[in-house]
Short mmCIF file of all heavy atoms in Angstrom, two decimals:
data_model
loop_
_atom_site.label_atom_id
_atom_site.label_comp_id
_atom_site.label_asym_id
_atom_site.label_seq_id
_atom_site.Cartn_x
_atom_site.Cartn_y
_atom_site.Cartn_z
N MET A 15 97.96 57.38 71.30
CA MET A 15 97.07 58.24 72.10
C MET A 15 96.78 59.52 71.33
O MET A 15 97.68 60.20 70.85
CB MET A 15 97.74 58.57 73.45
CG MET A 15 96.86 59.43 74.35
SD MET A 15 97.59 59.58 75.99
CE MET A 15 96.51 60.86 76.65
N VAL A 16 95.51 59.83 71.23
CA VAL A 16 95.10 61.00 70.47
C VAL A 16 94.77 62.15 71.41
O VAL A 16 94.02 61.99 72.37
CB VAL A 16 93.86 60.67 69.60
CG1 VAL A 16 93.37 61.92 68.88
CG2 VAL A 16 94.20 59.57 68.60
N ASP A 17 95.36 63.27 71.15
CA ASP A 17 95.05 64.48 71.92
C ASP A 17 93.88 65.20 71.24
O ASP A 17 94.04 65.71 70.14
CB ASP A 17 96.28 65.37 71.98
CG ASP A 17 95.99 66.68 72.73
OD1 ASP A 17 94.84 66.89 73.17
OD2 ASP A 17 96.93 67.47 72.88
N PRO A 18 92.73 65.23 71.88
CA PRO A 18 91.56 65.83 71.20
C PRO A 18 91.69 67.33 70.99
O PRO A 18 90.95 67.90 70.19
CB PRO A 18 90.40 65.51 72.16
CG PRO A 18 91.04 65.30 73.48
CD PRO A 18 92.41 64.71 73.20
N THR A 19 92.63 67.96 71.66
CA THR A 19 92.76 69.42 71.49
C THR A 19 93.71 69.78 70.36
O THR A 19 93.82 70.93 70.01
CB THR A 19 93.25 70.09 72.78
OG1 THR A 19 94.57 69.62 73.06
CG2 THR A 19 92.33 69.80 73.94
N SER A 20 94.40 68.78 69.78
CA SER A 20 95.42 69.10 68.78
C SER A 20 94.80 69.71 67.52
O SER A 20 95.45 70.46 66.81
CB SER A 20 96.23 67.86 68.42
OG SER A 20 95.40 66.92 67.79
N ASP A 21 93.55 69.39 67.26
CA ASP A 21 92.91 69.95 66.08
C ASP A 21 92.84 71.47 66.13
O ASP A 21 92.83 72.14 65.11
CB ASP A 21 91.49 69.40 65.92
CG ASP A 21 91.50 67.97 65.38
OD1 ASP A 21 92.56 67.55 64.88
OD2 ASP A 21 90.46 67.32 65.48
N LEU A 22 92.77 72.01 67.32
CA LEU A 22 92.63 73.47 67.45
C LEU A 22 93.83 74.20 66.86
O LEU A 22 93.70 75.32 66.38
CB LEU A 22 92.48 73.85 68.93
CG LEU A 22 91.18 73.34 69.58
CD1 LEU A 22 91.19 73.68 71.06
CD2 LEU A 22 89.96 73.95 68.90
N ASP A 23 94.99 73.55 66.90
CA ASP A 23 96.19 74.20 66.37
C ASP A 23 96.19 74.21 64.84
O ASP A 23 96.90 74.98 64.22
CB ASP A 23 97.44 73.49 66.87
CG ASP A 23 97.63 73.67 68.36
OD1 ASP A 23 97.22 74.72 68.89
OD2 ASP A 23 98.17 72.75 68.99
N GLU A 24 95.41 73.33 64.24
CA GLU A 24 95.44 73.20 62.80
C GLU A 24 94.40 74.07 62.11
O GLU A 24 94.56 74.44 60.96
CB GLU A 24 95.22 71.74 62.40
CG GLU A 24 96.37 70.85 62.88
CD GLU A 24 96.07 69.39 62.68
OE1 GLU A 24 95.05 69.06 62.05
OE2 GLU A 24 96.85 68.56 63.18
N ASP A 25 93.33 74.37 62.82
CA ASP A 25 92.29 75.19 62.21
C ASP A 25 92.67 76.66 62.26
O ASP A 25 93.27 77.12 63.22
CB ASP A 25 90.97 75.01 62.96
CG ASP A 25 90.37 73.62 62.73
OD1 ASP A 25 90.72 73.01 61.72
OD2 ASP A 25 89.60 73.18 63.59
N VAL A 26 92.30 77.38 61.23
CA VAL A 26 92.47 78.82 61.25
C VAL A 26 91.23 79.42 61.90
O VAL A 26 90.12 79.25 61.40
CB VAL A 26 92.65 79.37 59.82
CG1 VAL A 26 92.74 80.88 59.84
CG2 VAL A 26 93.88 78.77 59.18
N SER A 27 91.43 80.11 63.00
CA SER A 27 90.28 80.73 63.65
C SER A 27 89.89 82.00 62.91
O SER A 27 90.68 82.56 62.14
CB SER A 27 90.61 81.07 65.10
OG SER A 27 91.47 82.18 65.14
N GLU A 28 88.70 82.47 63.15
CA GLU A 28 88.26 83.69 62.49
C GLU A 28 89.09 84.89 62.94
O GLU A 28 89.25 85.85 62.21
CB GLU A 28 86.77 83.94 62.75
CG GLU A 28 85.90 82.89 62.06
CD GLU A 28 84.45 83.32 61.97
OE1 GLU A 28 84.12 84.39 62.49
OE2 GLU A 28 83.67 82.59 61.37
N ASP A 29 89.63 84.81 64.16
CA ASP A 29 90.47 85.91 64.64
C ASP A 29 91.75 86.02 63.84
O ASP A 29 92.28 87.10 63.63
CB ASP A 29 90.81 85.71 66.12
CG ASP A 29 89.62 86.03 67.01
OD1 ASP A 29 88.68 86.67 66.52
OD2 ASP A 29 89.65 85.63 68.18
N ASP A 30 92.27 84.87 63.39
CA ASP A 30 93.54 84.87 62.66
C ASP A 30 93.34 85.00 61.16
O ASP A 30 94.27 85.30 60.43
CB ASP A 30 94.29 83.57 62.94
CG ASP A 30 94.76 83.50 64.38
OD1 ASP A 30 94.94 84.57 64.99
OD2 ASP A 30 94.95 82.38 64.88
N ALA A 31 92.13 84.75 60.70
CA ALA A 31 91.90 84.72 59.27
C ALA A 31 91.91 86.14 58.70
O ALA A 31 91.49 87.09 59.36
CB ALA A 31 90.55 84.07 58.98
N PRO A 32 92.38 86.26 57.46
CA PRO A 32 92.26 87.55 56.79
C PRO A 32 90.80 87.84 56.49
O PRO A 32 89.99 86.92 56.43
CB PRO A 32 93.05 87.35 55.50
CG PRO A 32 93.02 85.89 55.25
CD PRO A 32 92.97 85.23 56.60
N THR A 33 90.47 89.09 56.31
CA THR A 33 89.09 89.43 55.98
C THR A 33 89.03 90.02 54.58
O THR A 33 89.97 90.68 54.12
CB THR A 33 88.51 90.45 56.97
OG1 THR A 33 89.38 91.58 57.05
CG2 THR A 33 88.37 89.83 58.34
N CYS A 34 87.93 89.79 53.93
CA CYS A 34 87.72 90.28 52.57
C CYS A 34 87.66 91.80 52.57
O CYS A 34 86.94 92.40 53.37
CB CYS A 34 86.43 89.68 52.02
SG CYS A 34 86.00 90.29 50.39
N ARG A 35 88.42 92.41 51.67
CA ARG A 35 88.44 93.87 51.59
C ARG A 35 87.12 94.45 51.12
O ARG A 35 86.83 95.61 51.38
CB ARG A 35 89.54 94.31 50.62
CG ARG A 35 90.94 94.24 51.18
CD ARG A 35 91.24 95.42 52.08
NE ARG A 35 92.59 95.33 52.60
CZ ARG A 35 93.52 96.28 52.40
NH1 ARG A 35 93.26 97.34 51.69
NH2 ARG A 35 94.72 96.12 52.92
N THR A 36 86.37 93.65 50.41
CA THR A 36 85.12 94.15 49.85
C THR A 36 83.95 93.97 50.81
O THR A 36 83.24 94.91 51.12
CB THR A 36 84.82 93.46 48.52
OG1 THR A 36 85.86 93.76 47.61
CG2 THR A 36 83.49 93.94 47.94
N CYS A 37 83.76 92.75 51.29
CA CYS A 37 82.57 92.48 52.10
C CYS A 37 82.89 92.30 53.58
O CYS A 37 81.98 92.24 54.39
CB CYS A 37 81.80 91.27 51.55
SG CYS A 37 82.66 89.71 51.72
N GLY A 38 84.18 92.21 53.93
CA GLY A 38 84.55 92.14 55.34
C GLY A 38 84.39 90.78 55.97
O GLY A 38 84.59 90.63 57.17
N GLU A 39 84.04 89.79 55.19
CA GLU A 39 83.87 88.45 55.74
C GLU A 39 85.22 87.82 56.04
O GLU A 39 86.16 87.97 55.25
CB GLU A 39 83.14 87.56 54.73
CG GLU A 39 81.66 87.86 54.59
CD GLU A 39 80.89 87.48 55.84
OE1 GLU A 39 81.13 86.39 56.38
OE2 GLU A 39 80.05 88.28 56.28
N PRO A 40 85.35 87.11 57.17
CA PRO A 40 86.57 86.36 57.43
C PRO A 40 86.75 85.29 56.37
O PRO A 40 85.78 84.63 55.98
CB PRO A 40 86.35 85.72 58.80
CG PRO A 40 85.15 86.39 59.37
CD PRO A 40 84.36 86.96 58.24
N ILE A 41 87.97 85.15 55.89
CA ILE A 41 88.23 84.16 54.85
C ILE A 41 88.88 82.96 55.51
O ILE A 41 90.06 82.98 55.86
CB ILE A 41 89.14 84.75 53.76
CG1 ILE A 41 88.45 85.95 53.12
CG2 ILE A 41 89.46 83.67 52.72
CD1 ILE A 41 89.38 86.81 52.29
N VAL A 42 88.10 81.92 55.72
CA VAL A 42 88.58 80.72 56.40
C VAL A 42 88.46 79.55 55.43
O VAL A 42 87.36 79.15 55.07
CB VAL A 42 87.77 80.45 57.68
CG1 VAL A 42 88.31 79.20 58.38
CG2 VAL A 42 87.82 81.65 58.61
N ASP A 43 89.61 79.06 55.00
CA ASP A 43 89.63 77.84 54.20
C ASP A 43 88.77 77.96 52.95
O ASP A 43 88.05 77.05 52.58
CB ASP A 43 89.16 76.66 55.06
CG ASP A 43 89.67 75.33 54.52
OD1 ASP A 43 90.66 75.35 53.78
OD2 ASP A 43 89.08 74.29 54.86
N SER A 44 88.82 79.12 52.29
CA SER A 44 88.02 79.31 51.09
C SER A 44 88.82 78.92 49.86
O SER A 44 89.90 79.44 49.64
CB SER A 44 87.59 80.77 50.96
OG SER A 44 87.05 81.01 49.69
N PRO A 45 88.29 78.02 49.03
CA PRO A 45 89.01 77.62 47.81
C PRO A 45 89.07 78.75 46.79
O PRO A 45 89.90 78.72 45.89
CB PRO A 45 88.20 76.43 47.28
CG PRO A 45 86.83 76.62 47.84
CD PRO A 45 87.01 77.29 49.17
N ASN A 46 88.19 79.73 46.90
CA ASN A 46 88.17 80.84 45.95
C ASN A 46 88.90 82.07 46.46
O ASN A 46 88.82 83.15 45.86
CB ASN A 46 86.71 81.22 45.63
CG ASN A 46 85.98 80.07 44.95
OD1 ASN A 46 86.53 79.40 44.09
ND2 ASN A 46 84.74 79.85 45.33
N HIS A 47 89.60 81.91 47.55
CA HIS A 47 90.35 82.99 48.18
C HIS A 47 91.31 83.64 47.18
O HIS A 47 92.04 82.96 46.47
CB HIS A 47 91.11 82.37 49.35
CG HIS A 47 91.94 83.33 50.14
ND1 HIS A 47 92.87 82.89 51.04
CD2 HIS A 47 91.98 84.67 50.18
CE1 HIS A 47 93.45 83.95 51.60
NE2 HIS A 47 92.93 85.04 51.10
N ARG A 48 91.29 84.97 47.12
CA ARG A 48 92.20 85.69 46.24
C ARG A 48 93.04 86.65 47.09
O ARG A 48 92.53 87.28 48.01
CB ARG A 48 91.45 86.53 45.21
CG ARG A 48 90.64 85.72 44.22
CD ARG A 48 91.53 85.11 43.15
NE ARG A 48 90.74 84.51 42.08
CZ ARG A 48 90.22 83.30 42.13
NH1 ARG A 48 90.39 82.55 43.20
NH2 ARG A 48 89.52 82.82 41.12
N VAL A 49 94.31 86.76 46.74
CA VAL A 49 95.18 87.70 47.42
C VAL A 49 95.92 88.51 46.37
O VAL A 49 96.44 87.94 45.41
CB VAL A 49 96.22 86.99 48.32
CG1 VAL A 49 97.06 88.03 49.06
CG2 VAL A 49 95.54 86.06 49.30
N ILE A 50 95.95 89.80 46.53
CA ILE A 50 96.78 90.61 45.66
C ILE A 50 97.75 91.39 46.53
O ILE A 50 97.46 91.72 47.68
CB ILE A 50 95.96 91.57 44.77
CG1 ILE A 50 95.18 92.56 45.62
CG2 ILE A 50 95.05 90.79 43.85
CD1 ILE A 50 94.53 93.65 44.78
N THR A 51 98.94 91.64 45.98
CA THR A 51 99.94 92.40 46.71
C THR A 51 100.47 93.51 45.82
O THR A 51 100.45 93.41 44.60
CB THR A 51 101.12 91.51 47.16
OG1 THR A 51 101.72 90.94 46.01
CG2 THR A 51 100.65 90.41 48.10
N TRP A 52 100.90 94.58 46.46
CA TRP A 52 101.51 95.68 45.73
C TRP A 52 102.44 96.40 46.68
O TRP A 52 102.42 96.17 47.88
CB TRP A 52 100.45 96.61 45.14
CG TRP A 52 99.69 97.41 46.16
CD1 TRP A 52 99.95 98.70 46.52
CD2 TRP A 52 98.57 96.98 46.95
NE1 TRP A 52 99.04 99.09 47.49
CE2 TRP A 52 98.19 98.07 47.76
CE3 TRP A 52 97.86 95.77 47.04
CZ2 TRP A 52 97.14 97.99 48.66
CZ3 TRP A 52 96.80 95.70 47.94
CH2 TRP A 52 96.44 96.79 48.73
N VAL A 53 103.29 97.26 46.11
CA VAL A 53 104.22 98.02 46.93
C VAL A 53 103.76 99.46 47.00
O VAL A 53 103.48 100.09 45.99
CB VAL A 53 105.65 97.93 46.36
CG1 VAL A 53 106.59 98.80 47.20
CG2 VAL A 53 106.13 96.49 46.35
N GLU A 54 103.66 99.95 48.23
CA GLU A 54 103.21 101.32 48.45
C GLU A 54 104.12 101.95 49.50
O GLU A 54 104.26 101.41 50.60
CB GLU A 54 101.75 101.30 48.94
CG GLU A 54 101.11 102.67 49.02
CD GLU A 54 99.62 102.53 49.37
OE1 GLU A 54 98.89 101.93 48.58
OE2 GLU A 54 99.24 103.00 50.44
N ASP A 55 104.73 103.05 49.14
CA ASP A 55 105.67 103.72 50.06
C ASP A 55 106.74 102.76 50.57
O ASP A 55 107.13 102.80 51.73
CB ASP A 55 104.91 104.33 51.25
CG ASP A 55 103.96 105.43 50.80
OD1 ASP A 55 104.23 106.05 49.76
OD2 ASP A 55 102.94 105.63 51.47
N GLY A 56 107.21 101.88 49.68
CA GLY A 56 108.29 100.99 50.03
C GLY A 56 107.88 99.81 50.88
O GLY A 56 108.73 99.02 51.29
N GLN A 57 106.58 99.66 51.14
CA GLN A 57 106.12 98.54 51.94
C GLN A 57 105.18 97.68 51.12
O GLN A 57 104.38 98.19 50.32
CB GLN A 57 105.38 99.02 53.19
CG GLN A 57 106.29 99.77 54.15
CD GLN A 57 105.79 99.65 55.59
OE1 GLN A 57 104.61 99.79 55.84
NE2 GLN A 57 106.69 99.40 56.51
N VAL A 58 105.29 96.38 51.33
CA VAL A 58 104.41 95.46 50.61
C VAL A 58 103.03 95.47 51.27
O VAL A 58 102.91 95.23 52.46
CB VAL A 58 104.98 94.03 50.60
CG1 VAL A 58 104.01 93.08 49.92
CG2 VAL A 58 106.32 94.01 49.90
N GLN A 59 102.04 95.79 50.49
CA GLN A 59 100.66 95.77 50.96
C GLN A 59 99.98 94.54 50.39
O GLN A 59 100.34 94.07 49.31
CB GLN A 59 99.90 97.02 50.48
CG GLN A 59 100.61 98.31 50.76
CD GLN A 59 100.57 98.68 52.23
OE1 GLN A 59 99.57 98.45 52.89
NE2 GLN A 59 101.65 99.24 52.72
N SER A 60 98.98 94.03 51.07
CA SER A 60 98.23 92.92 50.52
C SER A 60 96.75 93.10 50.82
O SER A 60 96.38 93.77 51.78
CB SER A 60 98.72 91.58 51.08
OG SER A 60 98.51 91.54 52.47
N ALA A 61 95.95 92.56 49.94
CA ALA A 61 94.50 92.60 50.14
C ALA A 61 93.94 91.21 49.86
O ALA A 61 94.34 90.57 48.89
CB ALA A 61 93.87 93.63 49.21
N HIS A 62 93.06 90.80 50.71
CA HIS A 62 92.46 89.46 50.59
C HIS A 62 91.00 89.61 50.17
O HIS A 62 90.32 90.55 50.58
CB HIS A 62 92.53 88.73 51.93
CG HIS A 62 93.92 88.44 52.39
ND1 HIS A 62 94.50 87.20 52.27
CD2 HIS A 62 94.85 89.25 52.96
CE1 HIS A 62 95.74 87.26 52.76
NE2 HIS A 62 95.98 88.49 53.18
N PHE A 63 90.56 88.66 49.38
CA PHE A 63 89.16 88.65 48.92
C PHE A 63 88.64 87.23 48.99
O PHE A 63 89.39 86.29 48.74
CB PHE A 63 89.07 89.18 47.49
CG PHE A 63 89.66 90.56 47.35
CD1 PHE A 63 90.97 90.72 46.95
CD2 PHE A 63 88.91 91.68 47.67
CE1 PHE A 63 91.54 91.99 46.85
CE2 PHE A 63 89.46 92.95 47.57
CZ PHE A 63 90.78 93.10 47.16
N CYS A 64 87.34 87.10 49.29
CA CYS A 64 86.79 85.75 49.42
C CYS A 64 86.63 85.08 48.06
O CYS A 64 86.65 83.86 47.97
CB CYS A 64 85.50 85.74 50.22
SG CYS A 64 84.27 86.94 49.73
N ASP A 65 86.47 85.86 47.00
CA ASP A 65 86.42 85.26 45.67
C ASP A 65 86.69 86.32 44.61
O ASP A 65 86.91 87.49 44.92
CB ASP A 65 85.08 84.54 45.41
CG ASP A 65 83.89 85.48 45.55
OD1 ASP A 65 84.06 86.70 45.37
OD2 ASP A 65 82.80 84.98 45.83
N GLU A 66 86.67 85.87 43.36
CA GLU A 66 87.03 86.77 42.27
C GLU A 66 86.03 87.93 42.14
O GLU A 66 86.42 89.05 41.80
CB GLU A 66 87.08 85.97 40.96
CG GLU A 66 87.57 86.74 39.75
CD GLU A 66 89.05 87.09 39.83
OE1 GLU A 66 89.76 86.50 40.67
OE2 GLU A 66 89.49 87.95 39.05
N ASP A 67 84.77 87.67 42.44
CA ASP A 67 83.78 88.73 42.34
C ASP A 67 84.10 89.88 43.29
O ASP A 67 84.02 91.05 42.92
CB ASP A 67 82.38 88.19 42.65
CG ASP A 67 81.82 87.36 41.51
OD1 ASP A 67 82.36 87.46 40.39
OD2 ASP A 67 80.84 86.63 41.74
N CYS A 68 84.47 89.54 44.52
CA CYS A 68 84.80 90.59 45.48
C CYS A 68 86.08 91.32 45.06
O CYS A 68 86.19 92.53 45.24
CB CYS A 68 84.98 89.99 46.88
SG CYS A 68 83.42 89.73 47.75
N ARG A 69 87.02 90.60 44.46
CA ARG A 69 88.24 91.25 44.02
C ARG A 69 87.93 92.28 42.92
O ARG A 69 88.45 93.39 42.93
CB ARG A 69 89.24 90.22 43.48
CG ARG A 69 90.66 90.76 43.37
CD ARG A 69 91.54 89.85 42.55
NE ARG A 69 91.15 89.80 41.15
CZ ARG A 69 91.46 90.75 40.25
NH1 ARG A 69 92.16 91.78 40.61
NH2 ARG A 69 91.06 90.66 39.02
N LEU A 70 87.06 91.89 42.01
CA LEU A 70 86.72 92.80 40.92
C LEU A 70 85.92 94.00 41.45
O LEU A 70 86.10 95.13 40.97
CB LEU A 70 85.91 92.05 39.86
CG LEU A 70 86.70 91.00 39.08
CD1 LEU A 70 85.78 90.21 38.16
CD2 LEU A 70 87.83 91.64 38.27
N ASP A 71 85.07 93.77 42.42
CA ASP A 71 84.31 94.88 43.01
C ASP A 71 85.27 95.89 43.64
O ASP A 71 85.06 97.09 43.54
CB ASP A 71 83.36 94.36 44.10
CG ASP A 71 82.11 93.74 43.49
OD1 ASP A 71 81.92 93.85 42.26
OD2 ASP A 71 81.33 93.14 44.26
N TRP A 72 86.31 95.39 44.29
CA TRP A 72 87.25 96.28 44.96
C TRP A 72 88.03 97.09 43.94
O TRP A 72 88.22 98.29 44.08
CB TRP A 72 88.21 95.45 45.82
CG TRP A 72 89.14 96.26 46.65
CD1 TRP A 72 88.83 96.96 47.78
CD2 TRP A 72 90.54 96.45 46.43
NE1 TRP A 72 89.96 97.57 48.26
CE2 TRP A 72 91.01 97.27 47.47
CE3 TRP A 72 91.43 95.98 45.46
CZ2 TRP A 72 92.37 97.64 47.55
CZ3 TRP A 72 92.76 96.36 45.56
CH2 TRP A 72 93.21 97.18 46.58
N ASP A 73 88.46 96.45 42.85
CA ASP A 73 89.17 97.16 41.80
C ASP A 73 88.31 98.29 41.24
O ASP A 73 88.79 99.38 40.96
CB ASP A 73 89.53 96.21 40.65
CG ASP A 73 90.72 95.34 40.98
OD1 ASP A 73 91.43 95.67 41.96
OD2 ASP A 73 90.94 94.36 40.27
N GLY A 74 87.01 98.04 41.10
CA GLY A 74 86.12 99.02 40.53
C GLY A 74 85.92 100.23 41.44
O GLY A 74 85.52 101.30 40.97
N ALA A 75 86.23 100.07 42.72
CA ALA A 75 86.02 101.15 43.67
C ALA A 75 87.22 102.08 43.77
O ALA A 75 87.16 103.10 44.43
CB ALA A 75 85.70 100.58 45.06
N GLN A 76 88.32 101.69 43.11
CA GLN A 76 89.53 102.51 43.24
C GLN A 76 89.51 103.70 42.30
O GLN A 76 89.15 103.57 41.17
CB GLN A 76 90.78 101.66 42.94
CG GLN A 76 90.97 100.57 43.96
CD GLN A 76 91.03 101.10 45.37
OE1 GLN A 76 91.97 101.84 45.69
NE2 GLN A 76 90.07 100.79 46.20
ZN1 ZN B 1 84.13 89.15 49.88
#
C-alpha cells in the first residue's frame, strides 16, 4: 500500500531550503549548490549559494 503523502516528507520545501546569499533564491535540490563555512566570534557561520558564480560575486562584495 502506497501512502501518497509520503513524498512530502522527502522533498525539501522552499521554507526549509537555504537561500543564496547573493541572489536570495531558495536553493532546492541544486546540483551546483555551494556552501562555505567559517568561524566568527567562536561560532560556525555558513553561507549558501546556488552556484559558483553567486559564490564569487559574494566574495567580491566583502
Ligand atoms: Zn544565487
Side-chain angles (χ1 to χ4, degrees):
M15 182 172 170
V16 176
D17 178 357
T19 64
S20 65
D21 284 345
L22 294 176
D23 292 329
E24 295 171 8
D25 290 337
V26 176
S27 74
E28 292 196 357
D29 285 345
D30 292 335
T33 53
C34 176
R35 283 281 181 121
T36 298
C37 68
E39 287 291 316
I41 300 165
V42 181
D43 203 21
S44 168
N46 297 319
H47 181 193
R48 295 283 189 277
V49 183
I50 62 171
T51 60
W52 70 98
V53 176
E54 188 174 298
D55 296 332
Q57 295 208 315
V58 177
Q59 310 287 323
S60 63
H62 296 258
F63 303 95
C64 49
D65 58 25
E66 186 70 15
D67 285 344
C68 278
R69 196 193 67 79
L70 292 174
D71 281 352
W72 185 75
D73 283 345
Q76 295 305 295

